Amino acid sequence: MVDVQAGARAPRVAVVPGDGIGQEVIAEGVRLIQALAPDVELEWFDLGAERYLRDKVTLPDDVFARWRDEFDAVFLGALGDPRVPSNVHAKDILLGSRFRLDLFINQRPIQLLDPRRCPLKGKGPDDVNMMVFRENTEDLYTGVGGTFKEGTADEVAQELCIATRKGVERIVRAAFAWARAHGKTRVCMSDKSNAMRFTGGLWQRVFKAVAAEYPEIQASHLYVDVLAMEMVRAPERFEVIVTSNLFGDIITDLGAILQGGIGLACSGNIHPGRVSLFEPVHGSAPDIAGKGIANPMATFLTAGQLLSHLGRPALEAQIQAAVRGALLADEVTPELGGTLSTRAVADAVLGRL
Ligand code: NAD
Ligand code: IPM
Ligand code: MN
């Protein structure tokens, strides 16, 4: 990737709408990027279930190499289709990108924009405002494992949980560095070290060591079961959360509902300074795909993260403000109690920019 921030050339973004509502929300996300950053060069990649069913292609090596060498960001909708029950294409494209591009930070903000949308009694935007740093290249996601005597009564299945010092240290460091850079004073690490002695022990040791380098930041720890409870009971306790891949996946869907719904949750799969992949937290939502009612706001906020990665954080703030405005005006899709279509919500947000 060329250093776009140095202005060497126009930024390049690979667009992968993917499956189901991914197609619908990315179409709107692209309109947003074109409106706010017309100099960004976009190139579409036909990858997803359709393509896989057609010619068995998931993520071709030459496409991967182009993303790595020629692009600054990938803008992805969602992957998952009932016609591909193995989900092999999603594994290759989404998890494959995370692993092969070494996108070790999965950064997922949990931020309540409209106070009326929080399901918790008496909690407002000041209470629900945290950043989750989800480790994105290890843990139970690597696919290391296997089966033995498959299909018999003696069947064995194994999935290996992997944690490396390098992997844990870099995500913990990213969380503390972000906290310091953003004037936050609390970082909470969450694991399950009471049951998972070995990987949990490594997380504990690394967290303590890195925390010592940030004396002005209060470092705390919660087991992930208690974290789930506390995020609901007292979300105001949290400013920055750092956790492993699977736990981060689960708590960010919980976080999504705290901020008003899965249609509002954005994420960046980031390797600082390198090509990174941005996608809404939600999936392809086969239950509503093709109906034109998917909420595009998560994708808009995701586009904000992407533009920030391209060196334009002011645009991210503008997008957030416009999404907040549409929420407050009840210009929303059916899952938030509104009557508007994907397109109409997108127009409502774009009209504010
Ligand atoms: P999902 O997020 O697709 O849907 C869960 C529920 O939330 C559904 O009721 C859906 O209608 C609703 N929903 C999701 N996004 C919405 C939006 N933008 N607007 C309105 N409602 C929305 O989760 P799932 O049903 O578990 O997964 C469906 C498929 O997507 C699966 O194949 C799964 O593996 C895949 N998936 C992919 C990604 C990704 O590509 N990043 C993420 C999660 C799930
Ligand atoms: C997410 C998704 C993915 C994950 C799935 C589709 C593999 O749930 O991005 O949150 O678990 O990381
Ligand atoms: Mn998830």
Side-chain angles (χ1 to χ4, degrees), residues 143-148 150 156-160:
V144 176
T147 56
F148 178 52
E150 196 177 314
V156 177
Q158 197 188 44
E159 206 96 51
L160 200 64

Side-chain angles (χ1 to χ4, degrees), residues 79 87 94-95 98 106 108 134 141 245 249 279 281:
L79 295 162
N87 229 13
L94 180 61
L95 301 184
R98 289 177 184 172
N106 194 326
R108 298 187 157 183
R134 167 187 175 188
Y141 272 74
N245 207 338
D249 177 46
E279 49 161 355
V281 170

